[in-house]
Amino acid sequence: MAINPRNRGPLRTLSVLIVIVFGLYGLLAAVSTWGDAQRTPKLGLDLEGGTQLILAPKIVGNQKINEGQVTKAVDIIRQRVDGSGIAEAEVTTQGGSNIVVSLPGTPDKATIASLQKSSQLRFRAVLVEGSAAPAAPVPTPTGTATSTPTGTATSKASVSGATPTAKATATSTTGAKSGFPQALSRATTPTPTPRPSATPTSTGTTPGAKPVNASDPAWITPEVGKAYTALDCSNPKDVQAIVDDPTKPMVTCSADGRAKYILGPAEVLGSEVTDASSGQKQTQGGSTGLWQVVLTFDSVGTKSFCDVTSRIVSLPTPRNQFGIVLDNQVISAPVAQSAICAGNAEISGTFTAASAKVLADQLKFGALPMSFEVLTQDDISPQLGGDQLQRGLLAGLIGLLLVVLYSLLQYRMLGLVTVSSLIIAAAITYALVTLLGWSYGFRMTLAGVTGLIVSIGITADSFIIYFERVRDEVREGRQLRAAVETGWARARRTILISDGVNFLAAVVLYVLAASNVRGFAFTLMLTTIVDIVVVMLFTHPLLSILAGTKFFGGGHKWSGLDPERLGARTIVYSGRGRVTIAAQRAAAQGSQS
């Protein structure tokens, strides 16, 4: 069977839509078969229920909690929970200090850990690096010293609940991301091995002298040395007792508990990080498959990071290292081999996609004013019963049936184009909502269902604009094929403007609204985009093909495009290439007289 050359363009357009639909459902089948995705949309807290956590702040010493700190913590926790999608968790306060977090479904350990951690990020110069076990006393320096630690250890570290093994790289002064062999390198010893203690070599600084910079061993006072000697990184109580004061030297452990450090005062703070993102590490040969967290500093952080790497690059081991401290523990202590002044740094290692995303969100949205511990964790039932969801779906079905009934009464068989377009739009929307639940944590709430119901009218409105424009062209006396193309050229602009206004309104609502209203706005944005895709790739090309058939093109009375029923004008040739209906009107008036 030969294909009409006029239909080749519309058929190619339809084939693009077919590829998109099969691609979406093929991806859904793949991630649900070989991945952890489900084949139905994820439901929100109001429809599925979930888990309620009550977080209590960890009070250190005589620390006092004020209302401003609790409010800030609520905002940051809400951003962390919703950082990867529209989970629509509920975050409220209780008793003035506790925070109640209600999460849909069952949260994983990484999510719970991200809510508890303060995520204070600091970069400090390394003064001493040694074995994690209690060690021989560190001699108090009697002068500026070249310090040899009481032990040596690999700088590989594990972030509890987030990054199993992490290392750091950074951007060089030329802007290219340098690996450890260039700008930064690490200790090569694979496991901690004890070695004899060494007495710092005096170079003339008197005891008690004010340290010159953060790398000066004069920071190692008798109190600091005593704390380092007594610290046992395998003892949870010792680890929990670590204090991170950015203005003072710090004695701490690596996150995996295999090494301990004496660090100078903080020189780069987490508040100086303007952005953090996760992704796979890239090289000139392509992706390495390793996940990393990329940090971007502000102007202050960029200068501070440049200053510290410029200073320590010429110092002896271990003072040519800087410790990356997250929540009181060293997640990495790389060696600087050149000044790094471009304002970017990387934390990489054996991340997973999820753990890298959790850490990036923690750093991106800022540190909590304090750390929290889980006071209680309980399962909660859906806020709305199953009958509310059924009523919502029933309302959507009734709305859909009314639109179909109106289309068939108004446009007759042409209304089947509306019905088929709505079916295609629903299929695409279902696949997108399900895939977004797998990839970005999107959950369908009753507000989101409402957005889908409203979108039925928006989608039908686009079809009505197009059909009425085509019927107007038929009334003007055009042949159906010409009317379809001319009507599309004129209706397309109106459809795009209408959908653009709807999309803009949804964006504003999404940005400014809170809680489950964002779910309504998100589904409205999504269905508006789907509407444009369906009208462009399905409705228009399908009508172009139907215009070439005898039933529609011939203006059958049940086609919805019958010229006589539409009151089309009859075109009369008036000579010299002019077409007019004036002669017909004059003839009609003469016969009446």
Side-chain angles (χ1 to χ4, degrees):
M1 178 179 176
I3 298 177
N4 190 334
R6 294 181 178 180
N7 292 336
R8 289 177 181 174
L11 286 175
R12 281 195 294 265
T13 305
L14 284 175
S15 65
V16 173
L17 180 68
I18 293 173
V19 170
I20 292 175
V21 173
F22 275 90
L24 288 174
Y25 279 90
L27 177 61
L28 179 59
V31 297
S32 60
T33 302
W34 296 290
D36 57 353
Q38 59 186 50
R39 298 189 179 185
T40 56
K42 291 184 177 180
L43 299 180
L45 191 65
D46 56 348
L47 300 177
E48 183 186 36
T51 303
Q52 184 182 78
L53 305 171
I54 298 181
L55 306 177
K58 294 181 179 179
I59 307 299
V60 180
N62 296 324
Q63 182 183 9
K64 294 183 179 180
I65 306 299
N66 57 50
E67 183 178 353
Q69 290 175 318
V70 175
T71 301
K72 181 179 179 181
V74 167
D75 292 338
I76 293 175
I77 288 175
R78 182 179 290 113
Q79 289 177 320
R80 288 183 180 180
V81 172
D82 287 340
S84 62
I86 320 298
E88 297 199 25
E90 294 183 0
V91 185
T92 58
T93 59
Q94 181 187 74
S97 59
N98 293 345
I99 295 178
V100 180
V101 183
S102 299
L103 302 169
T106 303
D108 54 22
K109 293 182 179 180
T111 300
I112 296 177
S114 72
L115 302 180
Q116 297 177 259
K117 289 186 176 182
S118 173
S119 294
Q120 294 280 358
L121 179 70
R122 296 187 173 108
F123 290 75
R124 294 171 174 264
V126 175
L127 301 178
V128 173
E129 177 187 15
S131 174
V138 176
T140 301
T142 57
T144 302
T146 303
S147 172
T148 303
T150 57
T152 183
T154 177
S155 57
K156 292 183 179 179
S158 167
V159 179
S160 178
T163 52
T165 304
K167 64 181 181 179
T169 59
T171 305
S172 66
T173 54
T174 61
K177 293 180 180 177
S178 303
F180 285 107
Q182 292 81 34
L184 303 171
S185 63
R186 337 176 124 265
T188 57
T189 310
T191 56
T193 54
R195 63 184 182 186
S197 301
T199 302
T201 305
S202 174
T203 57
T205 299
T206 58
K210 184 177 181 180
V212 177
N213 53 52
S215 298
D216 194 335
W219 289 106
I220 309 176
T221 62
E223 293 77 12
V224 172
K226 183 178 179 181
Y228 175 83
T229 301
L231 179 62
D232 184 359
C233 294
S234 63
N235 187 343
K237 292 184 178 179
D238 283 7
V239 175
Q240 292 176 2
I242 294 174
V243 177
D244 185 0
D245 186 337
T247 63
K248 298 179 180 179
M250 181 182 185
V251 177
T252 186
C253 302
S254 63
D256 62 357
R258 299 171 64 187
K260 63 181 178 180
Y261 301 86
I262 299 178
L263 307 174
E267 298 186 86
V268 183
L269 305 178
S271 58
E272 296 165 0
V273 174
T274 59
D275 192 23
S277 61
S278 61
Q280 291 191 344
K281 186 176 180 62
Q282 302 292 326
T283 62
Q284 293 182 349
S287 174
T288 63
L290 300 176
W291 288 88
Q292 64 180 3
V293 175
V294 181
L295 308 178
T296 302
F297 299 112
D298 60 15
S299 57
V300 176
T302 298
K303 183 179 184 304
S304 299
F305 195 68
C306 180
D307 291 342
V308 65
T309 53
S310 300
R311 184 186 69 244
I312 68 176
V313 65
S314 59
L315 296 179
T317 302
R319 291 195 295 135
N320 61 345
Q321 300 172 235
F322 61 88
I324 303 175
V325 183
L326 179 67
D327 288 332
N328 301 348
Q329 293 180 300
V330 176
I331 61 174
S332 182
V335 175
Q337 294 188 335
S338 64
I340 303 170
C341 303
N344 295 316
E346 300 170 2
I347 303 175
S348 59
T350 55
F351 286 102
T352 63
S355 62
K357 185 70 172 67
V358 167
L359 180 58
D361 287 343
Q362 289 175 332
L363 301 179
K364 179 178 180 179
F365 298 125
L368 294 171
M370 74 290 290
S371 296
F372 290 84
E373 60 183 352
V374 177
L375 201 61
T376 62
Q377 179 175 341
D378 302 306
D379 294 333
I380 54 177
S381 59
Q383 298 173 354
L384 301 175
D387 55 338
Q388 277 86 352
L389 177 59
Q390 292 177 0
R391 290 176 184 177
L393 296 176
L394 179 61
L397 181 60
I398 292 174
L400 180 60
L401 291 177
L402 289 176
V403 170
V404 171
L405 181 61
Y406 170 81
S407 299
L408 294 177
L409 291 176
Q410 178 69 16
Y411 301 111
R412 303 199 177 186
M413 296 303 292
L414 185 61
L416 294 178
V417 178
T418 301
V419 175
S420 57
S421 298
L422 287 172
I423 293 174
I424 295 296
I428 294 176
T429 302
Y430 182 88
L432 289 175
V433 168
T434 307
L435 288 171
L436 287 172
W438 163 71
S439 59
Y440 290 101
F442 173 76
R443 289 182 176 268
M444 183 63 67
T445 63
L446 193 60
V449 174
T450 305
L452 295 179
I453 295 173
V454 172
S455 70
I456 296 174
I458 295 175
T459 303
D461 183 57
S462 298
F463 306 150
I464 292 172
I465 292 174
Y466 181 27
F467 294 163
E468 288 299 329
R469 187 69 259 184
V470 172
R471 284 152 67 102
D472 286 343
E473 296 298 326
V474 173
R475 290 187 185 99
E476 292 296 326
R478 294 183 185 273
Q479 294 295 320
L480 181 58
R481 186 179 296 279
V484 166
E485 299 306 322
T486 305
W488 170 247
R490 297 180 177 180
R492 179 176 53 197
R493 181 180 301 177
T494 305
I495 293 172
L496 291 176
I497 292 174
S498 176
D499 282 342
V501 171
N502 289 329
F503 186 83
L504 182 61
V507 169
V508 173
L509 184 62
Y510 177 82
V511 172
L512 299 181
S515 188
N516 55 9
V517 179
R518 299 182 73 198
F520 171 81
F522 186 83
T523 54
L524 201 57
M525 285 190 291
L526 183 66
T527 52
T528 300
I529 296 174
V530 172
D531 175 42
I532 295 176
V533 171
V534 172
V535 171
M536 295 282 187
L537 301 183
F538 182 77
T539 309
H540 170 230
L542 179 61
L543 197 56
S544 298
I545 294 174
L546 293 178
T549 64
K550 183 178 180 181
F551 182 81
F552 286 93
H556 191 280
K557 64 179 181 178
W558 287 102
S559 67
L561 296 171
D562 180 11
E564 182 178 352
R565 180 173 177 270
L566 295 176
R569 298 174 180 179
T570 303
I571 300 175
V572 178
Y573 180 71
S574 300
R576 295 188 178 181
R578 293 179 298 164
V579 177
T580 179
I581 63 172
Q584 184 183 13
R585 289 179 177 175
Q589 291 175 358
S591 62
Q592 291 176 359
S593 60

